[in-house]
Structures are given as C-alpha cells and as structure tokens.
Amino acid sequence: MRRTVSISFIILGACFVDAQVSHNSPKIQQIEEVELFGEKNKQPEGLEVITRLPLKTRDQIQSISVVSHKVIEDLGGLTVTDVAKNIPGVTQFGSYGGVKESMSIRGYRGVPVLKNGVMMDSDFRTGSMMTDMQGVESIQVIKGSAAVTQGIGDGLGSPGGVINIVTKTPRFIDQTTVGFRYGSWDFYRPTLDFQKVLDKNKQFAVRLNAAYQNNNSFRKHVSTDRIYVNPSVAFRPDQHTDIVVEMDYMKNNTTPDRGTVNLAAGDTNALYEMPKGKFLGFATDNAEITTYNFSTTAVRRLNDQFKIRAAYINSSYENTLIGASIGAGSAATGYAERARTLAKSDREDKNQVLQFDFIGEEVQTGFLKHTFQLGFDWKQTQVSTISYEAKNVDNINVLQEISNVLPENIDGTQFALAAKNPFVNTLAPTFGLMAQDVIAFNKYVKAHLGIRYSHLNGNSEGKSEAWNPSLGLMISPVENVNVFGSYTTTTALRSANNPLMDGGTVGPSTSTQWETGVKSDWFDQKLRFNITLFDILADNLSYSVLNSQGNATGFFGLAGELRRKGAEVELIGRILPNLQVMAGWAYIDAQYHDSPAFVEGSAPLNTPKNTANAWINYKFSEGILNGFDLGAGVYYVGERPVDDFTKKTFNNGHELAVKPGVQPFMMQEYTTVDAQAGYTFSNGLGVRVFLNNIFDSVGYNSYFRGGYIDQIQPRNFAAQINYKF
C-alpha cells in the first residue's frame, strides 16, 4: 500500500509542483440538496473518470445514467444489482453462486464494472467482483460504446456500456454518521462514515467509511462474513488545486450457492423450485475474495478556461474458491440424479490505469465555442490463475434429502494441480491517445467529435492497434431539451490473431453503434426525462473449433454477426417538491445473422426483450408526519433464453450447455415489489425499514451452461438506525 500511494504522489506531484501554498480563504463545500441523480446543476462527482469531459450528463453525447448515494440510502441497497436495477436496460447476467455480480447492458453480458475508473476483474467475461455500498458515492452507467475513453473493447460486454462505481471522498465538513442494520436470516451490519477538516486553513480533510457484515441465507449453510474499509484524504494547497488520495479495501468470505437444477433437457423449462432451506453444496464451501483499490486524482485549474487532470489508479482482486459443482443430468439416469464434485480455483487480478487530460471549457474561436479534451492513458492488466484437479465426491438425487457434509475420505483443503497448464499468467498493457471536442455553433446546435488511438503493447504478431471515432450532433430547440444523434465504434482485438481452420486469422471484431434520442431537464433541473433509440451491429464474431471428442483444436471459425436494436425510456427526479420518482422501460431485439454457428434470428443467452422499473418516494414536511417518508418500487424482468441457440458444439468445457440444434427454453419472467419507510428526527437520528420482494416472487438469474441457476432472494426485511452528528 505504501509503495502504491508513494508512486501516486510522485507521478502526480510532478504535474503540480507549481501549486502555491497560500490559500485565499477557501470556503467549505456545503452539501447541497442531493437529487436522485446527484447534486443539481453539477456534473456528477467522478464522472470525468469515464467521460474525460467536464459536461453534465444532459450535454454528453453518450447515454448516461447516474444514481446517487441518496438512492442507495433510501433503497437500502447493498449490491450493485440493488441499485442498477433502477436504470433502464441494466440487468444482472448472473451472480455465480452469489460471489460475483456480472451485469448486462443492451443484451451484452459481462459489461466492465469499474471502481473509480479501473477494472477490478479483467476477465473478458467480466464476472466482476462484489462491492460494498457503504463507500459508494454514486453508480454511473454509460450505455453503448465508450471506446473513445475506455479503449479496446476486448471484454464480451464492452460495446454494451460500462458501469463505474464512484467511492466517497472528503467534502470538507465535520460530520460523523454511525449506523446499524438488522435483517432476515441473522443479518448484522454496523457502519461508519467519519469526515473531518484537519486544519484551520481548511486545506486538509479526511474521510473514513467502514462496514462489517455477517449474515446467513434462506439456504442453510450459506453465509457471508465481510469487512470493508475506505479511507481518503483531500488536499487543497490553493484555490486552484485539488488532490485526493484514497484506498478501498474489502475482505469477503461467502458460501457459493449454485442454486437449483433443471429436471429436463435444455429445451424444456422444468426448473426445480427447491425448498428455501435446501442446499446442494457442502457446508465447508467458501469463496474468499480480497480487493484493494488505490487512487490518486489531481486537478489543477490554470485559469477560468483551462485545467489539467491526472489520475493514477491501482487495483487488486484475489479470489480463492473451493466449492461443489453439480453435473449434468440425462434422460437415461433421470434428471434428478446428479454427480457432485469438489473443485478449487485461484485467481489474482491486478489492474493499473494512468490518465492525463488537458481540458478546455467554453474556449472561443471566432463564432465557435469549444469544450475539449486532449489526453492519454496507460492501462495494464496482469492475471494469474492456478487450476486444480476436481475431486469426485458422490452422486445425489436433488429431490431427496442431501448431505452437506464432505465424506471422511475427501480432503477439502488439499488439491492436486491440474495435469495440463495449471499456471497461467497473462500481461496486457495498452496505451491510448484521444481527443474530444464539443463545438457549439450557437445555443441551438453542438457537434461532438472524438477520436481514439489504442495500441496493445507486447503483441508482436498480427493486429495490435485500433482507431475508434465518435461523431455526434446535438440540437437544443428549447432550453434544457437536447435532441441528439451519434455514431461510435468499438474494436475488439482479443480474437484477432486466432488462426482460422482454412488459413489466415480471425481479424478484429467491430461493433458499430447508431444512437438517437432526447435528453431533457424539467422543473428547474430537478426532473430528467430521456428517450434513446439504438442500433448496434457486431461483426466478424468467431468460435472455437472442436474435434470429435469435444476438445479444442486450436483453430477458429467465423460466426457471423449480431445485431441489437432497442429503445430506453428514463424518468428520474422530483415530479413534485416532496415526490421523487425513478421509472424506466427498456426494449431490445437481439438477433444473430449470417452465422454458421448460431441459428438465424436467435437471441443471445440471458437477453430479455423487456425490462421495466418504477420507484416512488414521498417525504412529509409538515405537521406531525414531518420527517416521515414512504417509498415503493416495482421491478420487471422479461423472459429470456437460458443459452445460445447453436448449430454446432463450440462451448468447450460447458458440459451443461444446451445441445446443438436444440432451442433453449425461456427462463420465466418475474416481477418483484419492494417498500421502504423511514423517519428522521431533528437531532440527527434516523430509522428506516425495508421490505423486499413483498409478494415472495420466484425468479432466477442464470448462467445455465456454467451450472448456476440462482434464485433471487425471497421475501425479507431489514431495519436500520443511523445517527448523524
């Protein structure tokens, strides 16, 4: 930690060596009334990390949604999913047994989840990590291509968008909040948010967020034990300079839960609705996850128009998992009969990002006005994995009583290394150069121009670079209403150099996006209403060619293209002074075309055509009910295919994949209803009650071919008390 922080200071300190030590009475930042999307009339804190431009979301050419810490607190959100389900078009792809949060946007699985602008899990499938909400300032979502700022889109979900988790930093106030939450299944969670200004000149401030969580589950033997710490320091050497250094640490032990099974072939929905207490794994199963995130950000305002921004971010993700796996069933033996094995995996994922930007705001050149950014970034990902041989344990009948105790002849702590390639270490450094310019011709018309060059270092063979443009036009027919259209691309080089069976290489895959819509603010910018239409074409897809034994040959074939068309509608903010709303609907039509691997017109796995969300909250401000508020939310996830509809076997290692030529069944739709009630006393004491999934709906998030069919949480409750002083 010391080394990382020291490096951060050295790198950034060189950029700000001329910062003056004098300070002309800097005023303490006052916490303004926070809207559901953040502070009114301001760019959301931390958004520049992913947009690189100092613009409000309304004026950005990308489709951007922001959910503030206010919503997280009012909803009692504990996970990214809890919060992101309030953003149209964002769904959970899978939880991998409750140890990760893989998110989808616009039908793309595993979109990158960043913390302060850097990935914590760089697996191209982006299973992603768990995040503690205690230290989260906001969740920000760019929908669609973000290649201009994020670079090469080698992750499966990169063209779909990016989710950025912004952590809390000092606000230059003296304030402490302590809290305690108790809920269903022996849920205990004390929390702390401490802020203090350290000197009379108000140049130094600190903040510490911390939480401890211990809980069981509706499944027996499933539990979580977590500790989370987020310290940060802010330094203002003068009125032109801001420097923030922070660390984010979490250690989480969770029992992985693979959920239920399907009691039929992959073309029939026969999901076993297990009794709530039933668990198919072993009591000793455990996923130990440790994450670190270090960041240093510095901004130097050169004058009213120009500033420089630099950021260095370093993250580490370590995961050791020991848990049961459930084999595939068959018609011959009965789909209730399953082989049970015990497996172990180790993964260490280290990521670094260095950003530097020169930014101009409203710079006049003749009759044109420019807001621009020139910058570069350097990114490096190093992933180390260790594979072990799985142990055959027993055969179970899922319909009968199941033992959750390992047999005495099975050692659940010692595993033999895999026979083939047990150690894998990959290093992927990239650097990028970019330029963006928002040109205002007048108050009615703006043009957005962007270009990025990305280079994959160390790739001596084949394609190693990409150019990605961003072009857009924004028209403002009336104040606070923007009509926009844009064209962007995302280039993926992950498979570019893979050899084809017929000679040559696969080449890069490009996702081309056309987008249009309306962004608008109402009621003195307290309410936002956005409509977006999009058309995304991903071409030159590929697949691994297998031999007759189902093993990879080392060669690849072309898999055609995948087109996604859809619409998103979002309403967020205040429709009345005391009435807040978050509502949205998303539609997507995703189809494979001209593919020798996928059936024509079929949709990718886990892609619902329709999703919807609606949440309202009313705060009483007069009479005996002053300080009391009520909220309720309804969330809908439509039916979606549990697997890809394929023409041939190419999912190497997925024994649970639906067989080629067989149309996968549709996972059923589900709707959940939540409610909240709270009361804030005048002395800083607050009490809040949460009721989740009130009608006890049964729904699943499923990575079917990976062996995970995870049930959403059944009806549960929680109560929280906070004291702010």
Side-chain angles (χ1 to χ4, degrees), residues 599-655:
V599 173
E600 181 72 18
S602 65
L605 75 166
N606 272 357
T607 303
K609 281 186 176 292
N610 291 278
T611 57
N613 62 280
W615 179 79
I616 59 173
N617 180 269
Y618 187 84
K619 295 185 180 293
F620 296 86
S621 57
E622 297 179 351
I624 61 173
L625 293 179
N626 183 24
F628 182 66
D629 73 276
L630 285 171
V634 181
Y635 305 94
Y636 170 78
V637 178
E639 64 175 14
R640 59 259 181 234
V642 298
D643 205 351
D644 291 316
F645 191 1
T646 63
K647 297 179 181 180
K648 59 182 68 177
T649 301
F650 60 87
N651 288 315
N652 186 37
H654 293 116
E655 68 169 327

Side-chain angles (χ1 to χ4, degrees), residues 423-683:
F423 301 99
V424 177
N425 191 322
T426 59
L427 185 66
T430 65
F431 75 86
L433 302 172
M434 75 207 71
Q436 300 179 85
D437 191 8
V438 180
I439 307 170
F441 295 89
N442 49 49
K443 67 178 182 178
Y444 302 108
V445 180
K446 295 178 182 177
H448 289 240
L449 307 175
I451 188 71
R452 178 186 178 95
Y453 169 78
S454 301
H455 184 82
L456 180 62
N457 295 331
N459 191 12
S460 60
E461 300 180 0
K463 188 72 174 176
S464 61
E465 59 185 12
W467 290 89
N468 292 112
S470 175
L471 307 172
L473 183 68
M474 185 171 287
I475 299 174
S476 305
V478 297
E479 189 177 1
N480 295 329
V481 175
N482 292 334
V483 181
F484 72 96
S486 67
Y487 167 85
T488 54
T489 68
T490 300
T491 302
L493 301 177
R494 182 175 58 85
S495 302
N497 300 322
N498 289 340
L500 292 169
M501 179 67 75
D502 299 328
T505 57
V506 171
S509 175
T510 301
S511 294
T512 302
Q513 173 183 285
W514 294 92
E515 192 174 57
T516 187
V518 178
K519 300 182 180 185
S520 61
D521 290 341
W522 303 89
F523 305 137
D524 190 28
Q525 302 187 34
K526 294 180 180 179
L527 181 69
R528 293 179 179 174
F529 179 65
N530 303 321
I531 301 175
T532 305
L533 305 175
F534 62 87
D535 186 331
I536 308 173
L537 179 65
D539 65 8
N540 205 49
L541 304 176
S542 64
Y543 66 94
S544 175
V545 176
L546 308 184
N547 59 25
S548 57
Q549 289 77 43
N551 298 316
T553 63
F555 291 97
F556 293 78
L558 298 179
E561 61 187 35
L562 175 58
R563 182 177 293 275
R564 296 170 169 90
K565 297 180 179 179
E568 296 155 352
V569 180
E570 180 179 42
L571 179 69
I572 180 171
R574 299 175 187 265
I575 55 178
L576 293 171
N578 290 18
L579 183 62
Q580 302 175 113
V581 62
M582 286 189 301
W585 166 74
Y587 170 81
I588 182 168
D589 179 20
Q591 298 184 18
Y592 288 105
H593 295 294
D594 301 324
S595 174
F598 301 97
V599 173
E600 181 72 18
S602 65
L605 75 166
N606 272 357
T607 303
K609 281 186 176 292
N610 291 278
T611 57
N613 62 280
W615 179 79
I616 59 173
N617 180 269
Y618 187 84
K619 295 185 180 293
F620 296 86
S621 57
E622 297 179 351
I624 61 173
L625 293 179
N626 183 24
F628 182 66
D629 73 276
L630 285 171
V634 181
Y635 305 94
Y636 170 78
V637 178
E639 64 175 14
R640 59 259 181 234
V642 298
D643 205 351
D644 291 316
F645 191 1
T646 63
K647 297 179 181 180
K648 59 182 68 177
T649 301
F650 60 87
N651 288 315
N652 186 37
H654 293 116
E655 68 169 327
L656 296 171
V658 178
K659 294 181 179 180
V662 176
Q663 184 171 3
F665 71 83
M666 301 296 286
M667 186 70 75
Q668 66 260 35
E669 64 184 10
Y670 66 90
T671 301
T672 58
V673 179
D674 303 338
Q676 310 87 33
Y679 190 86
T680 303
F681 297 86
S682 58
N683 62 355

Side-chain angles (χ1 to χ4, degrees), residues 395-412:
N395 293 289
I396 60 173
N397 187 312
V398 299
L399 301 178
Q400 299 176 356
E401 185 176 347
I402 298 171
S403 172
N404 302 120
V405 179
L406 278 173
E408 293 184 356
N409 64 322
I410 301 294
D411 187 343

Side-chain angles (χ1 to χ4, degrees), residues 119-139:
M119 286 194 294
M120 300 289 289
D121 177 6
S122 64
D123 187 342
F124 74 92
R125 295 158 294 194
T126 313
S128 198
M129 74 298 175
M130 301 296 290
T131 296
D132 197 288
M133 291 294 107
Q134 173 61 24
V136 176
E137 179 70 28
S138 67
I139 296 222

Side-chain angles (χ1 to χ4, degrees), residues 292-464:
Y292 300 88
N293 185 275
F294 306 93
S295 67
T296 301
T297 303
V299 177
R300 174 72 175 176
R301 288 169 290 280
L302 304 177
N303 53 39
D304 291 340
Q305 292 182 307
F306 300 103
K307 66 180 180 181
I308 53 176
R309 175 188 169 275
Y312 174 74
I313 310 154
N314 182 302
S315 74
S316 173
Y317 167 81
E318 299 175 9
N319 183 4
T320 296
L321 187 149
I322 300 176
S325 295
I326 311 298
S330 68
T333 61
Y335 287 98
E337 300 288 336
R338 304 292 176 115
R340 193 163 55 162
T341 59
L342 188 67
K344 178 181 180 180
S345 63
D346 285 326
R347 180 182 180 90
E348 185 180 39
D349 201 330
K350 297 181 178 180
N351 294 270
Q352 299 180 75
V353 172
L354 175 64
Q355 295 178 345
F356 187 89
D357 296 311
F358 177 68
I359 298 168
E361 299 182 62
E362 298 188 343
V363 180
Q364 199 80 34
T365 60
F367 71 94
L368 302 177
K369 188 177 291 185
H370 304 262
T371 294
F372 66 87
Q373 170 260 345
L374 301 171
F376 79 88
D377 54 54
W378 171 83
K379 303 178 182 180
Q380 179 171 281
T381 296
Q382 184 173 5
V383 180
S384 301
T385 60
I386 305 176
S387 302
Y388 301 88
E389 296 288 348
K391 298 182 179 185
N392 298 318
V393 179
D394 56 13
N395 293 289
I396 60 173
N397 187 312
V398 299
L399 301 178
Q400 299 176 356
E401 185 176 347
I402 298 171
S403 172
N404 302 120
V405 179
L406 278 173
E408 293 184 356
N409 64 322
I410 301 294
D411 187 343
T413 61
Q414 300 296 321
F415 290 78
L417 293 174
K420 186 178 180 181
N421 298 326
F423 301 99
V424 177
N425 191 322
T426 59
L427 185 66
T430 65
F431 75 86
L433 302 172
M434 75 207 71
Q436 300 179 85
D437 191 8
V438 180
I439 307 170
F441 295 89
N442 49 49
K443 67 178 182 178
Y444 302 108
V445 180
K446 295 178 182 177
H448 289 240
L449 307 175
I451 188 71
R452 178 186 178 95
Y453 169 78
S454 301
H455 184 82
L456 180 62
N457 295 331
N459 191 12
S460 60
E461 300 180 0
K463 188 72 174 176
S464 61

